[in-house]
Amino acid sequence: FPDTTLFRSRAMIAALQKGDEVVTSSGIIGTVTKVAENVVSLEVASGVVINVQKPAVQTKLEKGTIKSL
């Protein structure tokens, strides 16, 4: 059911908030620091923030996942 998967993905991206822990399609793990119209800023290391396009966010992780890595 590809349509259902696409719908869930779009809903997850639309609901992104500061503090969410996510994985991008390229495997980068980070914490959302800012959400703009088409771009999400991710802190990938202490003080290191990158910008990615929203569709690059693939998975939202449970809170605390990054600390446990």
Side-chain angles (χ1 to χ4, degrees), residues 41-60:
S41 298
L42 301 177
E43 184 173 38
V44 295
S46 182
V48 180
V49 178
I50 62 169
N51 295 318
V52 297
Q53 293 181 327
K54 278 187 174 181
V57 177
Q58 187 172 27
T59 308
K60 183 177 170 185

Side-chain angles (χ1 to χ4, degrees), residues 9 12-13 16 22-30 42 50 52-60:
S9 178
M12 182 269 303
I13 290 170
L16 286 175
V22 298
V23 179
T24 68
S25 56
S26 61
I28 296 171
I29 299 171
L42 301 177
I50 62 169
V52 297
Q53 293 181 327
K54 278 187 174 181
V57 177
Q58 187 172 27
T59 308
K60 183 177 170 185

